Amino acid sequence: MSNRLKELLQDVSVEASAPCRIDMGGTLDIPVFYYTLHHLAPCTFNAALALRTKVTLSANDSDSIRVSSRGFESAEYPLDSAPFDHPLGLIFAIAVYFRAKGVHVTVESQSPPKSALGGSSAAALATIAAFDKAYQEIGERALPVRRSVALAHDIESAVLGIPCGLQDQLAAAYGGVNAWYWTVSPDGPKFEKQSLMGKKETREFEKKILVAYCGVPHVSSDVNSTWMKQFVAGTNRDKWVRIAGLSSDFVDAVSKKDLPRAIQAMNEEVDLRLEMTPDVLNPIMHRLVKAAKENAAGTRFTGAGAGGCVWALGEEDKMDTIKELWAGILAGEEGAHLLDAGIDPDGVLVSQK
């Protein structure tokens, strides 16, 4: 089958792309949290951003797997010795799963590297979608979307060697603005999607948000590992109960267009996380948060923080002021900048040339 895959890609290339996201209530999508807090109906909010990661499959000159991605040196390894601990190891692991002998995988991301926007998960899902499309062309059945999401999540968790959440893959797969409810059953974990707004409402919501990259890459495993160790040890459980409640409050407020209540929930949630892990905001992130709060906005670091991005939510007439203040703060930091991205209503998209 892998020989047929290379033969196909010698004639056509297959492309897939998926969006990254901003979020609120992350970490609750990790099993140790939502299993033991299931009685609180824990949920996570995210909005897909029009910053896409595109993956292209083409034939490689040799029978090895080749992976190329902006910001990394291209790497090439034989199918059965590709390293999963490589900086591009997640893509290699997916390529090996699909027995991608003689395939060149090219990854192009519009989001900054390690920006805590779920870019690696978007790349994983786009890679799976591209391989799925290629295999359909040679007679295989299509993967259901839920199966693609689970596959992307499971491979990423296995490669990283730590439990991972599911929200990044879901934002990449479905796009739009959604709440995800983490449920459990005898058959295993499940998720339920609540779409919070249509395309017209999304355009209005876009005018109320702002996203900034602080110029410092994040390492989500460090912060998430701290939160998980604390939680497993029985520490700060009361704070996580409160965070679950605040996430639900935020989702309810957004669905009812109650901006003041949504802003309050965001800021209280960040304050609780700061109590548990003071370094979840670095100095520049603290300045961004302070400027937004002084203009009656809510703020949230993306993902697990400690670098990466911060996003703000506020009344439309306040956002121009916040944008100007944030631009001034970011101007003094190498690599830091505002992200020019609206909300992407679409999830993963696939094409071939």
Side-chain angles (χ1 to χ4, degrees), residues 259-314:
L259 203 59
R261 186 156 66 97
I263 289 169
Q264 182 178 351
M266 284 179 84
N267 289 334
E268 287 187 23
E269 198 252 20
V270 170
D271 287 344
L272 283 170
R273 292 185 188 247
L274 276 168
E275 289 179 26
M276 294 187 290
T277 44
D279 59 349
V280 77
L281 294 180
N282 63 25
I284 187 173
M285 296 169 85
H286 271 291
R287 292 174 64 194
L288 295 171
V289 167
K290 183 174 183 290
K293 280 186 173 181
E294 288 174 349
N295 285 274
T299 56
R300 178 63 160 77
F301 53 86
T302 56
C309 293
V310 172
W311 70 284
L313 172 67

Side-chain angles (χ1 to χ4, degrees), residues 2 15 24 32-33 52 70 84 110 143 145 154 177 185-186 210 217 254 262 271-272 279 292 317 337:
S2 60
E15 293 181 355
M24 159 76 180
V32 70
F33 290 89
R52 286 187 162 258
R70 177 174 61 90
F84 303 152
Q110 294 179 330
L143 284 173
V145 175
D154 290 350
V177 181
S185 75
L210 192 63
V254 169
D271 287 344
L272 283 170
D279 59 349
D317 61 356
H337 58 280

Side-chain angles (χ1 to χ4, degrees), residues 131-343:
F131 275 115
D132 181 43
K133 174 63 175 176
Y135 272 107
Q136 288 178 55
E137 293 299 309
I138 55 177
E140 294 291 303
R141 291 184 179 179
L143 284 173
V145 175
R146 281 179 170 252
R147 173 60 184 147
S148 295
V149 166
L151 184 60
H153 170 263
D154 290 350
I155 292 177
E156 187 165 2
S157 293
V159 167
L160 293 177
I162 57 172
C164 293
L166 196 61
Q167 67 145 330
D168 296 354
Q169 294 85 0
L170 290 169
Y174 291 93
V177 181
N178 302 293
W180 303 97
Y181 286 85
W182 314 109
T183 61
V184 297
S185 75
D187 300 324
K190 296 181 179 179
F191 58 86
E192 294 177 3
K193 172 176 173 283
Q194 178 188 352
S195 178
L196 296 178
M197 57 190 73
K199 288 187 177 181
K200 182 179 178 181
E201 294 169 306
T202 295
R203 299 287 83 84
E204 292 302 311
F205 189 71
E206 280 182 335
K207 299 173 185 176
K208 298 179 174 67
I209 65 172
L210 192 63
V211 187
Y213 175 59
C214 74
V216 179
H218 85 119
V219 182
S220 64
S221 59
D222 291 348
V223 178
N224 271 332
S225 293
T226 298
W227 287 334
M228 282 190 283
K229 287 176 182 176
Q230 291 173 347
F231 189 83
V232 168
T235 307
N236 295 325
R237 294 270 180 89
D238 58 330
K239 290 183 175 62
W240 285 104
V241 168
R242 183 64 183 139
I243 285 171
L246 289 167
S247 297
S248 295
D249 288 347
F250 179 84
V251 166
D252 185 60
V254 169
S255 69
K256 293 176 179 175
K257 301 181 181 179
D258 185 347
L259 203 59
R261 186 156 66 97
I263 289 169
Q264 182 178 351
M266 284 179 84
N267 289 334
E268 287 187 23
E269 198 252 20
V270 170
D271 287 344
L272 283 170
R273 292 185 188 247
L274 276 168
E275 289 179 26
M276 294 187 290
T277 44
D279 59 349
V280 77
L281 294 180
N282 63 25
I284 187 173
M285 296 169 85
H286 271 291
R287 292 174 64 194
L288 295 171
V289 167
K290 183 174 183 290
K293 280 186 173 181
E294 288 174 349
N295 285 274
T299 56
R300 178 63 160 77
F301 53 86
T302 56
C309 293
V310 172
W311 70 284
L313 172 67
E315 296 289 356
E316 189 178 341
D317 61 356
K318 299 282 188 181
M319 298 314 289
D320 284 341
T321 300
I322 296 171
K323 185 175 183 178
E324 185 176 343
L325 290 168
W326 277 18
I329 293 169
L330 298 169
E333 301 293 329
E334 185 179 355
H337 58 280
L338 293 170
L339 298 183
D340 183 17
I343 293 171

Side-chain angles (χ1 to χ4, degrees), residues 45-66:
F45 165 92
N46 60 36
L49 293 181
L51 293 171
R52 286 187 162 258
T53 297
K54 182 176 77 171
V55 172
T56 304
L57 305 184
S58 56
N60 193 22
D61 293 335
S62 73
D63 282 340
S64 295
I65 303 169
R66 184 172 180 81

